[in-house]
Amino acid sequence: MQDFVQHLINGISLGSIYALIALGYTMVYGILKMINFAHSDVYMVGAFGAFYVARAFGIEANPGIGSLAILLISSMLVCSILGLLIERLAYRPLRNAPKLNILITAIGVSLFLEYGGQALFGANPRVFPEVMKDFVIFSFGNVELKSFDITVLVVSVLAMLGLQYLIYKTKLGKAMRAVSANASVASLLGVNPDKIIAFTFIVGSALAGVGSVLVGMKYPKIDPLMGMMIGMKAFVAAVLGGIGNVRGAVLGALIMGLSEEMVVAYLSSTYRDALAFGILIAILIFKPAGLLGKYSVEKV
Amino acid sequence: MIRAFKNPLLSLLGVLAVGAIFQFAFDEYIQLMVLFITVNCLMAMSLNLVNGYTGQFSLGHAGFMAIGAYFTAYASTHWNFLPAELQGVSFFIFAIGSGLAAALAGFLVGLPSLRLKGDYLAIVTLGFGEIIRVSLLNMDVLGGPRGFANIPGFSNFYMSYSFAVLWILICFFTIWRVMKSSWGRGFLSVREDEIAAESTGVNTTGMKVRAFVLSSFFAGVAGALFAHFTNFINPSSFTFLQSVNAVIMVVLGGMGSMTGSIIAAIFVTSLPEALRPLQEWTGVDLRMVIYSLSLILVMILRPKGIMGELEITDLWRKYVRRSARS
């Protein structure tokens, strides 16, 4: 029982990281109807950005909340700039191209970031600097609640609440929802879809940046291919919750994080990566719109 | 002259003659490259059937290749029903078996997942490819993560080459003839407009599954060739990157052009070797960087790929004949 509670805590902590990345997928899909395969590599670049910032400012010498904030902000900045560049250079020229071409471009951008990253940062894993001290806040028998788990949860919940506010309470959010519903009608009503799409990429990438620092803090080993697997899982989470649906992404990510933790704990860790795809295939076959998604009928 | 290549036997003789040149004029390194090119040609042509002609995006081709490779590896080490002189024949039979095993897997994968479209299909096929790889990692009978060593191969280059060429021509002419049949028209109609095809009475899911099964058959054969040529396989030979490699060949060559796929396979396989001096100079593996960049640029600048939907014979008709007339 105590083991189970511990796994529950770990699973929620993992799930909230997945949620931050899944939100980026779901936002871009909601507005452009495309899977941004490069999203997970934006996350990787964010981790490296934070790594180099920490090194340049000597942050590893004094861990604490302040240095966490600096790293979060710098990683968000790096990611948003990269997201903006990708949108501008690779996706915007293909705005009206067939879907297959956009998909292939997205895979190309993803591979370019991964292997360009290997050329730039080196293929060997680096150790992420210690941002905060990890200590046990609360323990009950074998169950330990560590400060990292709390930090991850608090930061990601704050980021998600911020996103919620942005989408449902601000004018920009209203414009985003308008473009997502119908870009051409939105442009007739005075919304510039290009700007809104670019803004969506910025927001999604910034969330990936937050996720990258949290992962770097919890699992302090970063390498240029780190985005591949976590990106797949975050994407599965987005599909599971209903892609394009912000709340669904969070729900799906929590389910993914918990089920993965349970599979590792009670079955075998080798099946860990196959689980995500198993869930994906099951959900696409039985409920293609996801748990919270809406069915849409294709019109001719 | 170009018309002669539309005849399977004549083209077999022609390509075998090219192989004879490689047998005597080049060293083992280049000969191995040629063998890898033939494997990649087979992969690209078979994927072209799904991605190019049927318009469905599959990212799990390496999984089918893996099934074929492991089938051959197991069969040729455990079942010796023919004498050693007839090794080629038994390899041929095993290759058919590999293809059938992969085709069965393709059927099982395709039936549920081909109801999906575009991005989702890509992800699901990717997922199946990964699941096949993870299952192979966990199968101790097949070596698990250690891989499968000592797979018997052909005794010399020319034998391997002829075997590969035979399969390439079988693949090429099968797809060629299929595309001229009513099935082929069905594949194309699914690519052009699925809803319109469905409403004119084409069984779109059936068409997609047929294309998928045929494609995975040849991917399995490609895996069998790969296993014989390298004599060693392990699950990490068949990762996502291998699938992407095949996609790159199809896209660069032109989606819907068989000869385009062949040209791209030759180009994509030999490019990294040509870049080797540059890599030694910079000390970085630039291969994938260049691939991915060219993928993006091709999509933006020439979305149809090098050949578009034309075959090399069409180009011949278009340019060479015209200049001869004038």
Side-chain angles (χ1 to χ4, degrees):
Chain A
M1 183 61 205
Q2 287 184 345
D3 276 354
F4 180 75
V5 174
Q6 183 69 54
H7 293 314
L8 212 62
I9 292 173
N10 293 348
I12 289 174
S13 169
L14 189 64
S16 51
I17 292 173
Y18 285 161
L20 284 175
I21 303 164
L23 283 172
Y25 279 107
T26 223
M27 284 170 70
V28 170
Y29 192 90
I31 212 156
L32 272 184
K33 301 280 173 286
M34 68 166 283
I35 297 173
N36 181 13
F37 268 98
H39 187 66
S40 56
D41 303 298
V42 171
Y43 148 89
M44 176 274 292
V45 174
F48 272 93
F51 172 79
Y52 284 111
V53 166
R55 207 188 235 179
F57 290 98
I59 276 176
E60 58 254 69
N62 42 346
I65 302 260
S67 47
L68 176 68
I70 293 176
L71 286 194
L72 281 177
I73 290 169
S74 52
S75 165
M76 281 164 82
L77 264 179
V78 169
C79 287
S80 351
I81 293 170
L82 184 65
L84 195 62
L85 277 179
I86 291 174
E87 197 275 329
R88 190 74 194 78
L89 298 178
Y91 297 153
R92 196 176 290 181
L94 289 166
R95 191 61 51 77
N96 296 317
K99 278 186 109 177
L100 205 59
N101 293 15
I102 301 177
L103 184 63
I104 293 166
T105 313
I107 291 176
V109 174
S110 160
L111 288 173
F112 179 69
L113 288 179
E114 275 164 17
Y115 290 90
Q118 276 196 349
L120 202 63
F121 308 131
N124 295 329
R126 305 289 187 89
V127 181
F128 202 76
E130 195 185 16
V131 187
M132 288 177 77
K133 288 261 183 294
D134 194 13
F135 53 88
V136 178
I137 288 184
F138 172 83
S139 71
F140 178 79
N142 287 333
V143 183
E144 285 184 337
L145 194 58
K146 289 186 164 177
S147 64
F148 272 17
D149 295 324
I150 298 286
T151 319
V152 167
L153 201 62
V154 167
V155 173
S156 42
V157 166
L158 279 181
M160 285 176 228
L161 286 180
L163 181 70
Q164 187 81 6
Y165 178 79
L166 178 74
I167 291 180
Y168 290 101
K169 300 279 184 219
T170 62
K171 231 174 168 185
L172 262 172
K174 199 176 232 177
M176 279 164 75
R177 283 182 287 147
V179 173
S180 153
N182 191 332
S184 51
V185 175
S187 75
L188 287 179
L189 296 174
V191 178
N192 183 348
D194 275 344
K195 275 192 183 154
I196 296 300
I197 289 169
F199 181 72
T200 309
F201 268 83
I202 291 179
V203 174
S205 308
L207 287 175
V210 175
S212 72
V213 173
L214 295 181
V215 172
M217 196 173 81
K218 203 158 186 291
Y219 311 98
K221 216 175 187 187
I222 56 174
D223 67 290
L225 298 183
M226 68 193 267
M228 226 182 226
M229 214 55 226
I230 203 167
M232 272 338 291
K233 285 171 187 163
F235 172 75
V236 172
V239 176
L240 179 60
I243 197 155
N245 183 321
V246 172
R247 282 168 205 161
V250 178
L251 175 71
L254 284 179
I255 296 176
M256 278 293 298
L258 282 173
S259 52
E260 194 180 313
E261 188 67 32
M262 296 302 162
V263 165
V264 174
Y266 295 107
L267 289 168
S268 145
S269 59
T270 40
Y271 284 105
R272 175 184 189 156
D273 293 344
L275 168 85
F277 296 114
I279 292 183
L280 178 71
I281 289 159
I283 198 85
L284 285 179
I285 289 169
F286 294 111
K287 203 163 177 348
L291 294 176
L292 298 184
K294 282 194 224 79
Y295 285 92
S296 62
V297 179
E298 199 169 333
K299 290 182 193 129
V300 187
Chain B
M1 174 211 129
I2 205 85
R3 179 171 288 177
F5 275 97
K6 288 191 174 177
N7 181 330
L9 255 179
L10 283 179
S11 46
L12 177 66
L13 290 177
V15 186
L16 284 183
V18 175
I21 300 172
F22 278 100
Q23 165 78 27
F24 295 112
F26 293 98
D27 58 1
E28 279 184 349
Y29 171 68
I30 292 186
Q31 291 178 352
L32 192 64
M33 287 305 305
V34 171
L35 293 184
F36 283 145
I37 286 176
T38 58
V39 173
N40 281 340
C41 277
L42 211 47
M43 283 290 280
M45 276 195 289
S46 67
L47 189 63
N48 190 18
L49 187 64
V50 174
N51 279 17
Y53 288 133
T54 321
Q56 307 300 310
F57 198 63
S58 163
L59 267 179
H61 224 47
F64 301 120
M65 190 183 174
I67 290 180
Y70 271 91
F71 182 90
T72 298
Y74 189 84
S76 56
T77 44
H78 288 78
W79 306 330
N80 298 309
F81 51 83
L82 283 175
E85 300 85 65
L86 291 175
Q87 199 189 28
V89 178
S90 61
F91 282 178
F92 192 81
I93 295 169
F94 293 150
I96 292 177
S98 304
L100 290 178
L104 181 68
F107 181 71
L108 295 178
V109 171
L111 207 53
S113 56
L114 282 167
R115 291 183 301 163
L116 305 166
K117 280 180 198 141
D119 305 359
Y120 285 122
L121 180 66
I123 298 283
V124 166
T125 46
L126 196 170
F128 271 112
E130 286 294 302
I131 286 176
I132 290 172
R133 195 176 61 84
V134 172
S135 318
L136 286 174
L137 271 177
N138 285 298
M139 277 190 205
D140 261 347
V141 191
L142 297 175
R146 291 185 311 279
F148 205 120
N150 300 325
I151 305 162
F154 293 96
S155 49
N156 60 20
F157 165 75
Y158 200 66
M159 285 284 285
S160 319
Y161 177 81
S162 320
F163 188 67
V165 163
L166 190 62
W167 272 111
I168 285 182
L169 289 176
I170 291 174
C171 176
F172 186 91
F173 284 100
T174 309
I175 297 180
W176 182 284
R177 295 313 302 166
V178 164
M179 288 317 294
K180 301 276 181 229
S181 72
S182 64
W183 278 22
R185 301 301 176 206
F187 295 168
L188 290 177
S189 74
V190 170
R191 178 183 72 184
E192 295 305 335
D193 192 331
E194 213 176 316
I195 297 169
E198 185 81 60
S199 60
T200 48
V202 176
N203 176 2
T204 48
T205 308
M207 283 303 163
K208 287 190 254 180
V209 171
R210 278 170 209 167
F212 208 69
V213 166
L214 195 57
S215 163
S216 40
F217 177 86
F218 286 113
V221 173
L225 298 186
F226 181 79
H228 286 309
F229 296 162
T230 52
N231 307 105
F232 171 75
I233 50 176
N234 68 348
S236 57
S237 324
F238 309 104
T239 52
F240 172 57
L241 267 188
Q242 183 72 40
S243 307
V244 170
N245 228 358
V247 171
I248 289 173
M249 289 173 216
V250 172
V251 173
L252 284 186
M255 283 187 279
S257 167
M258 302 270 284
T259 39
S261 297
I262 295 176
I263 293 169
I266 295 171
F267 179 69
V268 166
T269 322
S270 45
L271 181 72
E273 303 308 315
L275 286 177
R276 203 164 280 266
L278 186 68
Q279 269 177 40
E280 274 164 18
W281 182 56
T282 53
V284 186
D285 183 13
L286 291 173
R287 190 178 55 139
M288 289 311 292
V289 180
I290 292 172
Y291 280 3
S292 50
L293 206 56
S294 55
L295 204 58
I296 301 170
L297 288 179
V298 164
M299 277 297 115
I300 292 176
L301 302 175
R302 190 173 165 77
K304 292 190 304 182
I306 301 170
M307 300 284 288
E309 284 171 30
L310 296 175
E311 301 291 347
I312 237 177
T313 46
D314 300 330
L315 288 184
W316 177 270
R317 204 174 297 138
K318 207 164 151 190
Y319 296 110
V320 183
R321 283 248 202 98
R322 186 188 295 158
S323 59
R325 225 182 293 130
S326 61

Coordinates of all heavy atoms in Angstrom, one line a residue, chain B residues 2 32 36 43 56 59 82 106 116 122 129 147-148 151 165 175 181 187 193 207 222 273 309 316 318:
Chain B
I2 N 15.4 2.3 -74.4 CA 14.8 2.4 -73.1 C 13.6 1.4 -73.0 O 13.2 0.9 -71.9 CB 14.4 3.8 -72.7 CG1 14.3 4.0 -71.2 CG2 13.0 4.2 -73.3 CD1 15.7 4.4 -70.6
L32 N 30.0 -3.8 -51.0 CA 29.0 -3.9 -49.8 C 28.0 -2.7 -50.0 O 26.8 -2.8 -49.7 CB 29.8 -3.8 -48.5 CG 28.9 -4.1 -47.3 CD1 28.4 -5.5 -47.3 CD2 29.7 -3.9 -46.0
F36 N 23.9 -2.7 -50.1 CA 23.0 -1.9 -49.2 C 22.1 -1.1 -50.1 O 20.9 -0.9 -49.8 CB 23.8 -1.0 -48.3 CG 24.4 -1.8 -47.1 CD1 25.6 -1.4 -46.6 CD2 23.7 -2.8 -46.6 CE1 26.1 -2.1 -45.5 CE2 24.1 -3.5 -45.5 CZ 25.4 -3.1 -45.0
M43 N 13.3 -1.3 -50.2 CA 12.5 -0.7 -49.2 C 11.8 0.5 -49.8 O 10.6 0.8 -49.5 CB 13.5 -0.1 -48.1 CG 14.0 -1.2 -47.1 SD 12.7 -1.8 -46.1 CE 12.6 -0.4 -44.9
Q56 N -1.1 7.1 -48.3 CA -1.2 6.9 -46.9 C 0.2 7.1 -46.3 O 1.2 6.6 -46.9 CB -1.7 5.6 -46.5 CG -3.0 5.3 -47.2 CD -4.1 6.3 -46.8 OE1 -4.3 6.5 -45.7 NE2 -4.7 6.9 -47.8
L59 N 5.0 5.2 -41.2 CA 6.3 5.4 -40.6 C 6.8 4.2 -39.9 O 7.7 4.3 -39.1 CB 6.2 6.6 -39.6 CG 6.5 8.0 -40.1 CD1 6.3 8.9 -39.0 CD2 7.9 8.1 -40.6
L82 N 17.6 -28.4 -47.9 CA 18.2 -28.5 -49.3 C 19.7 -28.6 -49.1 O 20.3 -28.1 -48.2 CB 17.9 -27.3 -50.1 CG 16.5 -27.3 -50.7 CD1 16.2 -26.0 -51.4 CD2 16.3 -28.4 -51.7
G106 N 1.6 -7.0 -41.7 CA 1.0 -5.8 -42.3 C -0.5 -5.9 -42.4 O -1.2 -4.9 -42.1
L116 N -7.7 5.1 -40.1 CA -7.3 6.4 -39.7 C -6.7 7.1 -40.9 O -6.4 6.5 -41.9 CB -6.2 6.3 -38.6 CG -6.7 5.6 -37.4 CD1 -5.5 5.2 -36.5 CD2 -7.7 6.4 -36.6
A122 N 0.3 7.9 -39.5 CA 1.7 8.0 -39.3 C 2.1 7.6 -37.9 O 3.0 6.8 -37.7 CB 2.2 9.4 -39.7
G129 N 5.7 -0.1 -35.4 CA 7.1 -0.4 -35.7 C 7.9 -0.5 -34.4 O 8.7 -1.4 -34.2
G147 N 21.1 -9.7 -30.3 CA 21.1 -9.8 -31.8 C 21.2 -11.2 -32.2 O 21.4 -12.2 -31.4
F148 N 21.2 -11.4 -33.5 CA 21.2 -12.7 -34.1 C 22.4 -12.8 -35.0 O 22.5 -12.1 -36.0 CB 19.9 -12.9 -35.0 CG 19.5 -14.3 -35.2 CD1 18.2 -14.7 -34.7 CD2 20.3 -15.2 -35.8 CE1 17.8 -16.0 -34.9 CE2 19.9 -16.5 -36.0 CZ 18.7 -16.9 -35.6
I151 N 24.3 -15.6 -39.4 CA 23.3 -15.9 -40.4 C 24.0 -16.3 -41.7 O 24.9 -15.5 -42.1 CB 22.4 -14.7 -40.7 CG1 21.8 -14.2 -39.4 CG2 21.3 -15.0 -41.7 CD1 21.2 -12.8 -39.4
V165 N 19.1 -8.5 -57.2 CA 18.5 -7.9 -58.4 C 17.3 -8.6 -58.8 O 16.3 -8.0 -59.3 CB 19.6 -8.0 -59.5 CG1 19.0 -7.8 -60.9 CG2 20.6 -6.9 -59.3
I175 N 4.8 -4.3 -58.9 CA 4.1 -3.0 -58.6 C 3.7 -2.4 -59.9 O 2.6 -1.8 -60.0 CB 5.1 -2.1 -57.7 CG1 5.3 -2.8 -56.4 CG2 4.4 -0.8 -57.6 CD1 6.2 -2.0 -55.5
S181 N -3.4 -2.2 -63.1 CA -4.7 -3.0 -63.0 C -5.7 -2.2 -62.3 O -5.5 -1.0 -62.0 CB -4.4 -4.3 -62.3 OG -4.2 -3.9 -60.9
F187 N -6.0 2.3 -55.9 CA -5.0 3.0 -55.0 C -4.9 4.5 -55.4 O -4.9 5.3 -54.5 CB -3.6 2.4 -55.3 CG -3.4 0.9 -54.9 CD1 -2.3 0.2 -55.3 CD2 -4.4 0.3 -54.1 CE1 -2.2 -1.1 -54.9 CE2 -4.3 -1.0 -53.7 CZ -3.1 -1.7 -54.2
D193 N -8.7 11.5 -53.9 CA -9.8 12.0 -53.1 C -10.5 10.8 -52.5 O -11.2 10.1 -53.2 CB -10.7 12.8 -53.9 CG -11.7 13.6 -53.0 OD1 -12.0 13.1 -51.9 OD2 -12.1 14.7 -53.4
M207 N -8.7 -1.2 -50.4 CA -7.6 -0.8 -51.2 C -6.4 -0.5 -50.4 O -5.2 -0.9 -50.7 CB -8.0 0.4 -52.0 CG -8.9 0.2 -53.2 SD -8.1 -1.0 -54.3 CE -9.6 -1.5 -55.2
A222 N 13.1 -7.3 -48.2 CA 14.3 -6.4 -48.1 C 15.0 -6.8 -46.8 O 16.2 -6.8 -46.7 CB 13.8 -5.0 -48.1
E273 N 28.7 8.2 -47.8 CA 30.1 7.7 -48.0 C 30.9 8.8 -48.7 O 32.1 9.0 -48.5 CB 30.0 6.5 -48.9 CG 29.2 5.4 -48.2 CD 29.7 5.0 -46.8 OE1 30.9 5.0 -46.6 OE2 28.8 4.9 -45.9
E309 N 5.7 12.6 -60.4 CA 5.1 11.3 -60.7 C 5.6 10.7 -62.0 O 5.0 9.7 -62.4 CB 3.6 11.5 -60.7 CG 3.0 11.7 -59.3 CD 1.5 12.0 -59.4 OE1 0.9 11.6 -60.3 OE2 1.1 12.8 -58.5
W316 N 12.4 10.1 -70.9 CA 13.0 9.7 -72.1 C 12.1 10.1 -73.3 O 12.6 10.7 -74.3 CB 13.2 8.1 -72.1 CG 13.8 7.5 -73.4 CD1 13.1 7.1 -74.4 CD2 15.1 7.3 -73.7 NE1 13.9 6.6 -75.4 CE2 15.2 6.8 -75.0 CE3 16.3 7.6 -73.0 CZ2 16.4 6.4 -75.6 CZ3 17.5 7.3 -73.6 CH2 17.5 6.7 -74.9
K318 N 9.9 12.3 -73.3 CA 9.7 13.8 -73.3 C 10.9 14.5 -74.0 O 10.7 15.4 -74.8 CB 9.5 14.3 -71.9 CG 8.7 15.5 -71.8 CD 8.2 15.7 -70.3 CE 8.0 17.1 -69.9 NZ 7.8 17.3 -68.5

